[in-house]
Amino acid sequence: MASASIPVYNRSNNPLENSSSQNASRESLKMEPLAVTLLPGEERVIDKDIMYICPFSGPVKGKVFITNYRLYFKSADADPSVTLNVPLGAIGRVEKMGGASSRGENSYGLDITCKDMRNLRFALKQEGHSRRDIFDILFRYAFPLSHGLLLFAYLSQEKYEENGWSVYKPMEEFRRQGLPTDKWRITFINDNYELCDTYPTILVVPFKATEEDLRKVSTFRSRGRIPVLSWIHRENQAVICRCSQPLVGMSGKRNKDDERYLDVIREANGTAKLTIYDARPSVNAVANKATGGGYEGDDTYQNAELVFLDIHNIHVMRESLKKLKDIVYPNVEESHWLSSLESTHWLEHIKLVLSGAIQVADKISGGNSVVVHCSDGWDRTAQLTSLAMLMLDSHYRTLRGFQVLLEKEWISFGHKFASRIGHGDKNHADQDRSPIFVQFIDCVWQMTKQFPTAFEFNERLLMTILDHLFSCRFGTFLYNCESARDTNEVRSKTVSLWSLVNSDSTSYLNPFYTPESSRVLYPVASMRHLELWVTYYIRWNPRIRQQQQSPVEQRYMELLALRDEYLKKLEELQLTDSSPNSSHLSNSSASNAASPTQHINHLHTPF
Amino acid sequence: MFDGRVLLKQVILLFWPLISTWVQGAEKIDSCQLQVLEMLSSLGSAGGKSAKPSFVSYVTPEEIKSEKEPSRKEKHPDLLPGEVVFCSASTVLKYTQDDLSQRGVFGVLLCTNFRVSFVSDEEPTEEMLFKNKLYGENDIPLSCVDNIYGDKRKLITGGLVKNKYPSKMIIHCKDLRVFQFSLSFSKEEDAKKIFQGIVHHCLEPKSLRCLFAFSYCENTSYPGSYTVENTSYPGSYSYCREHLVSRLPQYFIVPKNVSDEDLTKYQGKGLPVCVGFYLSLAHNHLYSVKTEDLSDTLPTVQDILLSYNKFKQFFLIDNTTEFWMSDMKWFSSLDNCGWLDIIRQCLQKAVEVVESLEKENTNVLIMEEGGSDLCCVVSSLVQLMLDPYYRTLLGFQSLVQKEWVAGGHAFLDRSNHLHLKDKVESPVFLLFLECVWQLQQQHGPAFQFSETYLTVLSDSVHVPVFTTFLFNNDGHRDSLLRAESPHTQRSPLNCPTVWDWSVQFDCKAQDLFTNPLYTEKPKQDTSVRKSYRPRHLRQLSLPSSAFKTPPKKGFFKDEADNLKKILGVKRLSRWMLSPSSDSPQTSSSVREFYEAWQTKPLDYHGLLLPCLDGPSIRVWMQRYLRWIHDVQILGGGPVAMLSKVSEILGEVQELQRQLDRHGCTLTSNHKGARPRAKTAAAVIAARSSVRLSSSFPFVTSRNWAFKPAIPTSLLQSLMVTGMPGNLADREDDGGPESLV
């Protein structure tokens, strides 16, 4: 099955694993000398003898294979066997290291910066421009969009039982939430992306607001991103609405339509005050006035209270993750680890995002409707609404529900994946790049850590999502918004990541999951409980033990198996007891029972 | 005059058993005696409004209960045998800990010879699941009081200020609870007495015989004293039965070719004794000895205390706002106090010793001034890493008995129950438990005991009932218990040890001590088991002075040299010559050793090594965060997962029983192991209607507000300065030109 070659997480696929990959040895028979199964549609481009400068075990001689999807390296010696399996999409930057006259061992070669928290260095022989071909090819295939090539997602011929594109159907999701109601209606005003080119086609707006009202409001909201409903509380009818900043500007412009529109949102469930959460620090919100933006003033929006959530912008987050990478790769900072960690501010940002979402969820639980925005409403806003929805609605904590959440709040509402990740783009220094989605997944991970029984999916799903955020193997995270996806026929020409996941859903399930439908989850947004996601950020370090299964999980699965064995045995015994020649049969069942027990001994679970 | 009174009181307390027997016998009280007791009460150490009732309280505890309670409306906690109320005050307000609203409950505050106790006027609403039989949630054993603060958070030290008392009293406990009482609603006289009484009994120097254990034990018929499990040692070592000096345990092991005469020359000071070994005699000639001077490389007991004092402050929370203020600087504060680093250093040292024993086939001689602090830490950690037996409940118990209690760790001095100025207080034993917790955290299934067990054990050090932690060494214990025995001159006083958990917890609560993840090694492997064990492990303790240039005791060096000759020392080196205690850098050899071990498949019944990297050494959340309301994860935390494991384990056990009833023969190893596998399943299952929190089992769900804790003061401390081009001020997507 094609999913056998997920590039990462799987222990055998960890490229820095010392033990030779079982996968590789089995499949090498088929594909000499490339020891990995190619994906349907994947083609080999170049092979080359090379030296991999492993930061953990030193220089390793071997061969590198480049396909239109991945970079694969295998060491020549079996001991220690080193393999690398990197999707080209994860490569952020390729540079030449040293020159023809550079002195010193292994000083001439390639330096590759990856988007997934690692760097790779390869050394080549200094004579005869030995690196020219490989550099050119790598540069072309790692950044296909900069060279007029297609992203691999368009070349892939993968087939799955499930079609992931059918996971999210906006109408179905709104119906699940109980929409439309007498206060909220579904509108197709954006069917041709005319109202807002970064919004989806189907929107939920107040029943009282006419299409004309919506058009008027859209002129006063940055990029036409008007307040629309994201989620509604079934009992108290409080809603989460999302939008972009109002275009107040230096002169303090007002827009009666916008003011009335927000008041209609407030009225819908009859609360006295509408809470507007501006995700930004207040200083930044004020500064935005200079560029035509701003925030809702108390005097103009009289039935609304404005709360700033102090979450910083994409540039701050990018620098923060960069600093984090500096202290964990290749080696974990040894002296004053905790102070170094603090100085990256990464967990502090996580804390702020989480506590913002907690405030939103708390307001909704209390029956108050909220409007969430930042500047454009596609970065911090997406983080806050989706996290709050995860806290409020247990459906989003299931494997399928989580996919719906991502499809809805992130993909359909125009989080600019293409700009933030830079798929296939050589411009590594692009200021639009930022790990906002990574940060969101980290927040989800923090929640799963604090509530280990509340989520149907496991850590592996989160890792897989992040891996394919970069890999360009699936169409799911490509492009900035729905209109661009339509233009580029993503849904008809590429495979969805959810096809891969849902065709093999058991490996993404959390065995401890205990559904509790009405429960609101409030994580504790204190640094005391937030921890660095070591198994993601430091996974390339061989000293961090990558366990396929946590010992707790392993023990639990063993016990479940044991319980089933015993139940079966008991059933057999009860049957034989009631049969006439029981003595004979019970003997045989006792001997039958020996085999599961041996199996159990093998699992080391005697009592 | 004042000192004289204290002294007098101590004398009386010292001989209090005698007095009480005498009083009971005589039935009439000598006026002179009465005077003495009245003086006591005027010191603030007698109960109630007059001296008389306090005197009665000295007769027998039973009488207090039967006579006093009906006549006076004051409430008492259920007193323990031998427990006596010194003083009390009513209408004391105990603040609810989790807010600044100054709300609280009224009740009676008492000080007894065992505890400070608050008895609420309101009926208790909920039965505690994890109830300690000796003291409740509003009781603080006297030895558990850490610091007392008065108004404006002024630290109260001993020495009474007459006629003065604060309106608000904050008590920080050694188990990290924080109590805040308002005395302003009580009668002035009562308030004064209770304050002075608490300060006097909790903070001022006292004699060992004042500790509650003595009066407790006299009033209980405790069945029998604990004996350390007998371990048989191979024959090449002789038992030394000489009672050399009181510092050494009664039995210890030395090489066979060392005569008893040699030993007496050590005067019991830091004689190298073997603390544990698995020996294959045939390889004797391969042995060499390495010495490891812990004084050079590890922090001193003073460093440990200093660091811990800084560390614990992060958890003694009496103000939510301050708590959230400190939250942003949490990691660097943690780093600066150095506590985690000390833990790392101890673990690293233990790994170094393991490496020498395992990889280099060398014996290791651990030395330290005194030989009973860090030696105990390192040598017990080494044994824990090497031998799976010590990771069982019974094994761990015998490890602590062997290495710490018999090993002469000065529990009394280090916990400074007596508040003597000349003793060096230091949480060395806690440091050891912290290290064990780190190991357990990293390799959960290898340990039979749970994290709760370790937390409770760390609390029990401050409950002055158990003889385990009351003395400085075996000799000290024997002589005192013998002297204190009320019955005959010969049989010593029988006191419970901490290991008799039924003194503190009922069976259900004790179930929480077992780790549901633990699996025993399959029985059929026992034949092979020996080969898993290290072939040899010998650790010896010796004061470092023996190898340094000897001070006055010139003979010491000679003796040590002599001993080294006897041991057949081939090589003697200190491999950590440069004192590296300042830098936490893991030495490269330790790193390689760890990496080599890591590549092998993990065997929970074999050698265990801890990962020492920054992210791997963590804060013991259960112990330190359990009382802080704001950081409780309601319905979450690791317990949510573990309780599911326990649940299934309970089901499996029930099925096993049913199968047994059907006469189905399970393999012997299942049967034999069953009684041990008793777990918390039942306890937790019974509570399944109530969601557990991350503070389980220490805090119940009672005060669950469904409001989440929202951090206050978020931005103040967030520093985003010093970034190129001041990124924080920039627009997300380019500048003004990108705005429509």
Side-chain angles (χ1 to χ4, degrees):
Chain A
M1 197 165 105
S3 64
S5 46
I6 310 162
V8 276
Y9 187 64
N10 197 317
R11 189 188 170 107
S12 60
N13 278 326
N14 187 336
L16 300 164
E17 203 56 55
N18 279 336
S19 61
S20 75
S21 146
Q22 288 184 345
N23 232 0
S25 57
R26 204 187 322 122
E27 275 141 15
S28 59
L29 298 171
K30 285 185 284 180
M31 280 291 302
E32 272 293 325
L34 182 53
V36 65
T37 327
L38 296 181
L39 296 170
E42 184 178 359
E43 279 166 17
R44 280 165 68 178
V45 183
I46 190 175
D47 303 353
K48 200 165 187 86
D49 288 320
I50 211 161
M51 178 87 83
Y52 167 51
I53 320 283
C54 177
F56 309 106
S57 43
V60 187
K61 262 190 195 149
K63 200 161 194 147
V64 69
F65 306 87
I66 292 168
T67 73
N68 53 357
Y69 172 65
R70 80 185 88 204
L71 178 157
Y72 184 85
F73 170 85
K74 192 168 193 321
S75 61
D77 296 332
D79 189 38
S81 163
V82 175
T83 56
L84 285 176
N85 190 353
V86 188
L88 296 181
I91 292 175
R93 181 180 193 176
V94 184
E95 281 178 305
K96 290 175 181 167
M97 170 181 79
S101 56
S102 293
R103 263 181 276 171
E105 218 181 335
N106 301 328
S107 61
Y108 176 82
L110 299 175
D111 199 341
I112 298 172
T113 310
C114 294
K115 297 170 180 173
D116 59 358
M117 304 293 283
R118 57 179 156 165
N119 293 342
L120 307 170
R121 298 178 89 186
F122 293 100
L124 292 112
K125 289 197 193 85
Q126 244 152 325
E127 57 269 12
H129 304 294
S130 61
R131 73 182 168 195
R132 188 181 286 162
D133 53 347
I134 186 166
F135 175 82
D136 288 348
I137 281 168
L138 203 54
F139 202 71
R140 244 153 65 86
Y141 284 90
F143 311 119
L145 294 187
S146 304
H147 296 91
L149 298 172
L150 286 171
L151 290 168
F152 180 72
Y154 285 92
L155 304 169
S156 168
Q157 302 291 318
E158 289 182 82
K159 298 275 181 289
Y160 292 96
E161 304 153 27
E162 285 251 353
N163 179 9
W165 292 122
S166 61
V167 160
Y168 174 59
K169 298 203 176 76
M171 287 302 279
E172 259 177 41
E173 166 58 17
F174 284 129
R175 224 171 287 140
R176 187 193 67 82
Q177 292 190 20
L179 294 163
T181 67
D182 55 344
K183 297 286 200 292
W184 294 91
R185 66 186 180 94
I186 291 168
T187 175
F188 300 94
I189 189 176
N190 202 35
D191 218 12
N192 296 311
Y193 306 106
E194 277 162 1
L195 181 81
C196 171
D197 61 353
T198 56
Y199 263 6
T201 53
I202 300 173
L203 300 170
V204 176
V205 294
F207 194 83
K208 279 188 176 173
T210 65
E211 308 291 75
E212 191 46 39
D213 290 337
L214 301 180
R215 284 200 188 90
K216 282 181 188 159
V217 172
S218 76
T219 60
F220 192 63
R221 290 279 163 179
S222 170
R223 296 167 206 273
R225 295 173 67 94
I226 60 166
V228 292
L229 181 144
S230 270
W231 191 79
I232 184 163
H233 194 286
R234 265 183 184 277
E235 276 91 56
N236 63 33
Q237 298 288 301
V239 297
I240 301 178
C241 287
R242 58 180 293 170
C243 58
S244 58
Q245 63 183 341
L247 298 173
V248 175
M250 287 299 266
S251 55
K253 267 180 284 178
R254 287 181 65 165
N255 183 307
K256 287 283 174 205
D257 299 304
D258 192 70
E259 287 163 31
R260 205 175 52 242
Y261 185 77
L262 287 193
D263 212 43
V264 168
I265 293 175
R266 177 191 62 82
E267 270 172 25
N269 81 331
T271 39
K273 260 210 184 329
L274 177 74
T275 307
I276 302 169
Y277 285 106
D278 188 328
R280 301 166 292 185
S282 57
V283 231
N284 296 43
V286 172
N288 260 287
K289 285 186 171 183
T291 56
Y295 54 92
E296 294 84 354
D298 289 345
D299 43 341
T300 46
Y301 294 81
Q302 286 186 342
N303 291 321
E305 57 167 345
L306 183 70
V307 179
F308 292 106
L309 293 176
D310 301 332
I311 302 168
H312 280 279
N313 66 25
I314 61 166
H315 312 291
V316 173
M317 302 309 178
R318 182 180 58 237
E319 293 311 310
S320 175
L321 190 64
K322 216 175 261 172
K323 279 190 195 162
L324 181 64
K325 185 176 177 178
D326 287 345
I327 66 162
V328 298
Y329 191 89
N331 290 310
V332 179
E333 182 80 28
E334 281 196 20
S335 60
H336 300 290
W337 157 251
L338 290 171
S339 300
S340 312
L341 182 62
E342 187 178 277
S343 69
T344 70
H345 298 293
W346 182 252
L347 288 175
E348 236 166 279
H349 296 310
I350 298 272
K351 170 184 162 148
L352 283 161
V353 173
L354 274 175
S355 57
I358 291 169
Q359 290 176 64
V360 173
D362 184 39
K363 262 288 182 280
I364 295 290
S365 300
N368 283 289
S369 291
V370 303
V371 170
V372 183
H373 70 73
C374 45
S375 295
D376 290 310
W378 50 45
D379 292 310
R380 290 167 268 198
T381 304
Q383 289 181 330
L384 289 168
T385 56
S386 52
L387 284 170
M389 286 157 77
L390 206 57
M391 291 171 197
L392 290 162
D393 190 339
S394 60
H395 175 65
Y396 298 126
R397 296 174 219 143
T398 63
L399 183 62
R400 295 260 173 165
F402 189 65
Q403 296 166 16
V404 169
L405 185 71
L406 297 187
E407 287 282 351
K408 183 178 177 320
E409 288 302 299
W410 289 86
I411 297 166
S412 85
F413 271 97
H415 172 68
K416 304 208 298 173
F417 282 105
S419 307
R420 298 290 175 255
I421 307 303
H423 293 128
D425 177 22
K426 67 175 180 182
N427 185 9
H428 60 85
D430 189 346
Q431 294 292 299
D432 263 358
R433 293 198 184 174
S434 185
I436 299 301
F437 187 72
V438 175
Q439 187 175 53
F440 160 74
I441 294 291
D442 193 332
C443 291
V444 175
W445 180 81
Q446 302 284 350
M447 283 183 71
T448 62
K449 269 307 246 199
Q450 295 197 11
F451 299 100
T453 60
F455 292 83
E456 192 192 19
F457 52 87
N458 58 15
E459 185 182 32
R460 184 174 177 181
L461 178 78
L462 300 180
M463 307 263 280
T464 306
I465 288 172
L466 288 185
D467 287 336
H468 293 299
L469 172 66
F470 306 122
S471 78
C472 296
R473 177 173 153 196
F474 301 100
T476 304
F477 298 117
L478 301 184
Y479 302 105
N480 282 336
C481 55
E482 293 292 85
S483 57
R485 268 172 221 118
D486 282 2
T487 315
N488 292 287
E489 296 168 280
V490 169
R491 288 194 172 81
S492 56
K493 290 190 170 166
T494 71
V495 177
S496 161
L497 170 60
W498 315 128
S499 303
L500 169 94
V501 169
N502 295 336
S503 301
D504 179 29
S505 52
T506 44
S507 40
Y508 301 101
L509 293 180
N510 168 18
F512 294 104
Y513 176 55
T514 318
E516 282 181 278
S517 56
S518 60
R519 177 157 168 227
V520 182
L521 291 189
Y522 291 122
V524 176
S526 160
M527 302 307 275
R528 269 79 163 178
H529 278 305
L530 298 182
E531 45 183 302
L532 186 70
W533 187 4
V534 167
T535 42
Y536 178 70
Y537 298 113
I538 322 187
R539 64 175 157 167
W540 309 121
N541 190 325
R543 279 152 60 81
I544 302 297
R545 200 177 268 272
Q546 290 277 358
Q547 276 163 324
Q548 278 284 58
Q549 243 182 347
S550 80
V552 190
E553 195 176 322
Q554 207 175 327
R555 168 78 162 152
Y556 189 65
M557 300 306 275
E558 285 167 9
L559 284 170
L560 285 177
L562 202 59
R563 182 183 65 175
D564 293 347
E565 299 276 5
Y566 283 175
L567 278 172
K568 219 172 94 194
K569 218 186 292 177
L570 204 64
E571 217 167 86
E572 278 171 24
L573 280 170
Q574 275 157 354
L575 277 177
T576 53
D577 279 357
S578 57
S579 73
N581 48 354
S582 60
S583 65
H584 168 71
L585 274 174
S586 68
N587 273 343
S588 74
S589 78
S591 60
N592 276 346
S595 63
T597 326
Q598 276 164 7
H599 170 67
I600 290 143
N601 288 343
H602 172 69
L603 289 173
H604 288 212
T605 55
F607 295 95
Chain B
M1 175 59 196
F2 170 72
D3 282 343
R5 281 189 181 186
V6 175
L7 195 68
L8 180 58
K9 198 196 124 264
Q10 280 181 351
V11 169
I12 287 175
L13 285 181
L14 215 67
F15 296 108
W16 128 244
L18 291 175
I19 295 172
S20 79
T21 11
W22 173 77
V23 168
Q24 277 172 300
E27 284 180 20
K28 247 185 177 180
I29 299 119
D30 191 286
S31 61
C32 152
Q33 196 64 51
L34 188 67
Q35 214 177 351
V36 170
L37 291 164
E38 270 178 347
M39 278 169 72
L40 269 178
S41 77
S42 72
L43 257 170
S45 51
K49 287 155 196 156
S50 66
K52 264 203 167 172
S54 81
F55 170 65
V56 179
S57 77
Y58 267 86
V59 179
T60 61
E62 286 79 8
E63 277 176 68
I64 306 169
K65 278 175 120 180
S66 56
E67 288 177 23
K68 282 299 118 194
E69 274 195 337
S71 61
R72 294 171 65 192
K73 276 175 190 161
E74 257 181 32
K75 291 183 180 179
H76 278 172
D78 295 331
L79 294 177
L80 296 172
E83 186 175 0
V84 173
V85 176
F86 289 146
C87 50
S88 71
S90 52
T91 55
V92 171
L93 182 71
K94 174 179 168 277
Y95 290 107
T96 323
Q97 204 184 338
D98 47 48
D99 56 33
L100 286 170
S101 63
Q102 305 290 304
R103 278 182 305 158
V105 279
F106 282 102
V108 183
L109 189 62
L110 304 103
C111 179
T112 76
N113 57 347
F114 169 53
R115 61 185 146 179
V116 173
S117 179
F118 177 80
V119 185
S120 167
D121 291 345
E122 288 161 31
E123 292 302 316
T125 47
E126 200 179 330
E127 181 67 4
M128 289 276 288
L129 159 75
F130 194 63
K131 200 172 167 253
N132 193 312
K133 292 200 243 171
L134 294 178
Y135 60 99
E137 55 175 337
N138 285 326
D139 295 337
I140 316 159
L142 298 182
S143 324
C144 188
V145 171
D146 195 13
N147 280 315
I148 301 177
Y149 298 90
D151 293 328
K152 292 175 192 157
R153 246 176 154 268
K154 187 174 164 256
L155 181 68
I156 311 282
T157 48
L160 295 184
V161 188
K162 269 214 154 183
N163 298 322
K164 267 176 103 179
Y165 66 95
S167 60
K168 187 174 178 182
M169 174 168 64
I170 303 175
I171 301 181
H172 286 182
C173 304
K174 288 185 175 164
D175 59 10
L176 303 149
R177 289 179 296 169
V178 174
F179 289 90
Q180 301 186 59
F181 297 110
S182 168
L183 302 176
S184 30
F185 306 95
S186 315
K187 278 189 200 143
E188 200 185 319
E189 195 187 338
D190 286 358
K192 211 185 301 168
K193 268 186 193 156
I194 192 77
F195 173 68
Q196 293 177 350
I198 288 172
V199 169
H200 175 77
H201 291 289
C202 296
L203 300 179
E204 285 173 13
K206 55 175 143 188
S207 94
L208 180 60
R209 285 164 185 81
C210 293
L211 289 182
F212 181 62
F214 294 97
S215 72
Y216 177 74
C217 298
E218 278 152 20
N219 289 280
T220 40
S221 47
Y222 191 72
S225 59
Y226 175 84
T227 46
V228 194
E229 206 181 89
N230 261 333
T231 332
S232 55
Y233 294 102
S236 69
Y237 286 78
S238 67
Y239 292 105
C240 175
R241 290 177 164 276
E242 290 292 313
H243 250 124
L244 276 176
V245 246
S246 57
R247 274 194 82 246
L248 283 171
Q250 199 164 355
Y251 303 104
F252 54 95
I253 295 156
V254 295
K256 200 170 185 178
N257 45 359
V258 178
S259 72
D260 288 356
E261 206 174 298
D262 290 331
L263 294 176
T264 48
K265 290 175 191 163
Y266 278 90
Q267 301 292 324
K269 290 217 170 139
L271 172 78
V273 277
C274 170
V275 293
F277 56 94
Y278 316 93
L279 185 69
S280 76
L281 292 169
H283 295 87
N284 220 349
H285 61 281
L286 288 177
Y287 292 162
S288 52
V289 171
K290 261 187 177 177
T291 63
E292 177 63 14
D293 192 339
L294 301 179
S295 317
D296 283 356
T297 53
L298 289 181
T300 63
V301 287
Q302 287 89 348
D303 294 338
I304 292 168
L305 176 70
L306 219 61
S307 169
Y308 182 71
N309 279 345
K310 281 190 220 157
F311 175 72
K312 74 182 178 195
Q313 292 307 326
F314 306 142
F315 309 100
L316 293 162
I317 303 298
D318 45 50
N319 181 329
T320 334
T321 317
E322 266 172 40
F323 173 78
W324 286 108
M325 288 288 277
S326 66
D327 203 45
M328 282 299 192
K329 290 276 154 236
W330 163 244
F331 286 118
S332 50
S333 326
L334 201 56
D335 214 3
N336 292 338
C337 81
W339 181 244
L340 292 185
D341 208 46
I342 290 176
I343 293 169
R344 190 197 326 274
Q345 287 177 44
C346 290
L347 284 167
Q348 187 185 332
K349 186 59 66 187
V351 175
E352 281 169 16
V353 173
V354 168
E355 188 191 358
S356 313
L357 293 164
E358 278 285 284
K359 214 172 90 187
E360 297 162 24
N361 269 12
T362 328
N363 293 326
V364 178
L365 192 65
I366 312 172
M367 306 182 299
E368 176 198 20
E369 198 91 47
S372 62
D373 288 306
L374 289 160
C375 273
C376 297
V377 176
V378 173
S379 86
S380 20
L381 284 176
V382 167
Q383 292 170 72
L384 212 56
M385 290 174 193
L386 285 166
D387 191 340
Y389 170 67
Y390 294 122
R391 299 172 215 145
T392 64
L393 275 161
L394 209 64
F396 188 72
Q397 180 176 324
S398 53
L399 182 69
V400 173
Q401 280 297 130
K402 176 164 75 76
E403 288 300 290
W404 292 82
V405 180
H409 176 67
F411 279 106
L412 183 66
D413 293 352
R414 291 295 176 248
S415 52
N416 206 4
H417 288 320
L418 307 180
H419 306 286
L420 302 174
K421 295 278 177 279
D422 58 329
K423 301 297 182 198
V424 183
E425 188 182 337
S426 186
V428 181
F429 185 63
L430 175 65
L431 174 64
F432 164 65
L433 295 181
E434 282 261 19
C435 294
V436 177
W437 182 86
Q438 303 290 344
L439 273 169
Q440 194 202 38
Q441 222 34 35
Q442 293 186 19
H443 307 292
F447 292 83
Q448 195 192 17
F449 47 87
S450 65
E451 131 179 80
T452 305
Y453 173 83
L454 292 176
T455 305
V456 166
L457 188 58
S458 75
D459 289 344
S460 303
V461 173
H462 311 298
V463 183
V465 167
F466 311 109
T467 49
T468 317
F469 302 128
L470 278 189
F471 303 97
N472 282 336
N473 54 55
D474 270 358
H476 188 205
R477 177 194 344 272
D478 280 358
S479 63
L480 268 158
L481 291 183
R482 230 172 267 278
E484 286 304 307
S485 174
H487 311 294
T488 55
Q489 294 297 307
R490 269 158 223 158
S491 79
L493 194 60
N494 266 345
C495 286
T497 70
V498 73
W499 313 116
D500 187 351
W501 293 108
S502 64
V503 175
Q504 288 191 80
F505 298 99
D506 60 22
C507 299
K508 272 188 177 175
Q510 282 182 56
D511 285 349
L512 295 170
F513 294 167
T514 50
N515 172 11
L517 299 184
Y518 178 72
T519 49
E520 274 173 54
K521 202 170 181 70
K523 280 282 183 330
Q524 62 264 45
D525 284 15
T526 34
S527 51
V528 218
R529 189 176 169 193
K530 286 236 161 77
S531 67
Y532 282 107
R533 289 192 162 201
R535 272 161 316 201
H536 60 277
L537 156 60
R538 286 190 288 166
Q539 294 135 267
L540 308 119
S541 48
L542 192 71
S544 52
S545 52
F547 281 97
K548 284 176 177 169
T549 30
K552 286 169 195 168
K553 299 164 192 162
F555 71 96
F556 230 115
K557 191 180 188 307
D558 305 338
E559 290 314 311
D561 286 345
N562 192 23
L563 194 86
K564 276 183 274 167
K565 254 177 245 159
I566 299 165
L567 283 165
V569 177
K570 287 195 173 157
R571 192 159 50 104
L572 192 70
S573 66
R574 294 214 207 125
W575 73 91
M576 290 289 288
L577 271 176
S578 54
S580 65
S581 52
D582 297 330
S583 74
Q585 304 272 324
T586 350
S587 76
S588 61
S589 106
V590 165
R591 168 168 295 184
E592 276 165 32
F593 182 58
Y594 176 78
E595 276 167 9
W597 171 80
Q598 200 197 20
T599 54
K600 289 178 221 144
L602 183 57
D603 174 14
Y604 288 122
H605 299 277
L607 173 69
L608 280 191
L609 294 181
C611 179
L612 299 171
D613 279 348
S616 304
I617 303 293
R618 311 164 64 151
V619 174
W620 186 354
M621 297 291 194
Q622 189 196 49
R623 178 177 152 83
Y624 294 103
L625 294 181
R626 57 189 154 154
W627 314 115
I628 305 172
H629 185 267
D630 275 30
V631 288
Q632 275 186 51
I633 306 168
L634 306 182
V639 68
M641 219 161 25
L642 286 177
S643 66
K644 292 210 78 170
V645 176
S646 296
E647 240 168 71
I648 296 293
L649 188 56
E651 271 179 56
V652 168
Q653 284 164 354
E654 177 54 34
L655 285 170
Q656 276 177 339
R657 270 188 290 276
Q658 284 183 29
L659 285 170
D660 277 355
R661 246 178 277 138
H662 279 274
C664 174
T665 31
L666 298 166
T667 51
S668 59
N669 84 62
H670 278 84
K671 274 196 159 172
R674 189 165 312 136
R676 279 244 191 130
K678 213 175 74 174
T679 62
V683 188
I684 296 172
R687 310 283 300 183
S688 61
S689 55
V690 186
R691 281 193 217 109
L692 310 170
S693 87
S694 56
S695 297
F696 180 83
F698 293 96
V699 174
T700 49
S701 56
R702 183 178 4 183
N703 294 321
W704 281 19
F706 285 95
K707 291 291 279 180
I710 294 166
T712 47
S713 66
L714 286 175
L715 193 66
Q716 287 92 318
S717 49
L718 183 66
M719 308 284 280
V720 259
T721 49
M723 283 201 185
N726 213 355
L727 292 171
D729 301 340
R730 281 191 24 208
E731 193 45 41
D732 267 2
D733 293 285
E737 73 282 353
S738 61
L739 269 173
V740 186

